[in-house]
């Protein structure tokens, strides 16, 4: 792909078995000439529900931070734009970005399955969040008037449990709502890997 000018992003889902392989994998991808590696936690959905012991703990989240912050890569950048909002600044040269939300469901995101079913995003493929079917329903009408999307649009960081009083809330944005929901079944719950709240 690199020979044809295609810039790949290698996605890496972090779980117990590869937690201590982050450095080795990043160095390998850097040597291959890969420009970007995206790291994200495992969502508590599908088979992960039956295998919760493979999920990383909140304390292990610090290992990800320490490992990535000490990498010495020649070219590749490690991104945390999905699921690790607290590490977002590492991939953006430590310049925080002000925002009132992290989740872009209903603002930029919409997911369409191969059968036409529409969901808020890939992390909310659940009957509770089905928006309709693009083969039968008007996409523009759903985008503009769906109650589910309206709820997400109104979900700023000030409405997320444990975030409204955090002095860093507008740099983190509250974290991925799909990850929070996968752990708590509540889209307004605190991001499960938050490292800011305890530091206040």
């Amino acid at each position: 792909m690199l020979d044809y000018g295609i810039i790949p992003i290698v996605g890496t889902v972090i779980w117990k078995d590869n937690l201590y392989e982050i450095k080795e994998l990043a160095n390998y991808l850097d040597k291959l000439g890969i420009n970007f590696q995206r790291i994200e936690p495992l969502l508590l959905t599908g088979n992960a529900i039956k295998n919760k012991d493979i999920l990383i703990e909140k304390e292990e989240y610090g290992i990800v931070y320490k490992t990535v912050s000490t990498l010495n890569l020649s070219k590749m950048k490690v991104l945390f734009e999905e699921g690790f909002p607290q590490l977002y600044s590492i991939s953006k040269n430590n310049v925080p970005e002000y925002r009132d939300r992290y989740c872009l469901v209903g603002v930029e995101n919409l997911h369409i399955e191969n059968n036409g079913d529409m969901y808020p995003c890939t992390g909310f493929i659940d009957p509770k969040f089905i928006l309709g079917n693009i083969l039968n329903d008007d996409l523009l009408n759903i985008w503009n008037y769906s109650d589910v999307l309206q709820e997400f649009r109104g979900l700023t960081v000030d409405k997320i449990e444990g975030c409204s009083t955090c002095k860093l809330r507008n740099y983190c944005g509250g974290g991925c709502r799909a990850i929070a929901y996968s752990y708590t079944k509540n889209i307004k719950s605190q991001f499960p890997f938050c490292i800011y709240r305890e530091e206040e």
Side-chain angles (χ1 to χ4, degrees):
M1 292 193 328
L2 292 169
D3 291 341
Y4 289 95
I6 299 171
I7 301 174
I9 298 177
V10 175
T12 306
V13 176
I14 300 298
W15 54 304
K16 293 276 190 189
D17 283 2
N18 68 0
L19 181 61
Y20 294 95
E21 298 172 359
I22 299 171
K23 184 175 182 178
E24 180 183 352
L25 178 59
N27 285 327
Y28 174 71
L29 294 173
D30 190 43
K31 286 179 184 175
L32 286 179
I34 302 295
N35 288 3
F36 302 102
Q37 179 190 22
R38 188 178 73 195
I39 292 180
E40 52 191 290
L42 181 64
L43 261 69
L44 189 55
T45 59
N47 287 331
I49 294 173
K50 301 172 189 173
N51 299 283
K52 293 182 181 179
D53 56 319
I54 69 173
L55 301 170
I56 64 171
E57 303 292 333
K58 183 175 178 180
E59 297 73 29
E60 293 171 313
Y61 178 73
I63 295 170
V64 179
Y65 172 81
K66 288 175 184 173
T67 302
V68 173
S69 63
T70 59
L71 287 174
N72 186 19
L73 305 172
S74 62
K75 181 178 181 182
M76 190 180 75
K77 291 185 181 7
V78 179
L79 307 174
F80 294 92
E81 295 172 315
E82 299 291 333
F84 280 115
Q86 288 84 9
L87 303 185
Y88 182 81
S89 62
I90 292 177
S91 60
K92 300 296 180 183
N93 297 318
N94 295 312
V95 178
E97 174 184 320
Y98 183 91
R99 48 178 149 176
D100 68 351
R101 72 184 71 240
Y102 180 84
C103 179
L104 294 176
V105 165
V107 180
E108 292 181 4
N109 293 353
L110 184 74
H111 174 76
I112 303 174
E113 289 278 272
N114 60 359
N115 67 354
D117 286 346
M118 292 180 282
Y119 296 91
C121 82
T122 56
F124 284 106
I125 301 174
D126 180 309
K128 179 179 178 180
F129 295 103
I130 192 165
L131 304 172
N133 187 289
I134 197 166
L135 302 175
N136 307 315
D137 303 304
D138 181 69
L139 175 61
L140 191 59
N141 186 60
I142 286 174
W143 181 258
N144 288 328
Y145 303 110
S146 162
D147 290 339
V148 173
L149 294 181
Q150 294 288 1
E151 182 178 9
F152 277 103
R153 286 184 188 119
L155 187 54
T156 62
V157 68
D158 291 326
K159 295 179 182 175
I160 295 173
E161 297 168 6
C163 294
S164 62
T165 58
C166 176
K167 62 186 176 184
L168 300 173
R169 67 188 180 279
N170 290 119
Y171 297 109
C172 158
C176 175
R177 296 297 83 213
I179 291 174
Y181 180 80
S182 78
Y183 280 79
T184 66
K185 300 305 176 198
N186 178 2
I187 65 169
K188 296 180 180 179
S189 65
Q190 185 181 21
F191 185 70
F193 301 112
C194 179
I195 59 174
Y196 288 160
R197 189 177 180 188
E198 293 181 354
E199 292 178 353
E200 281 221 297

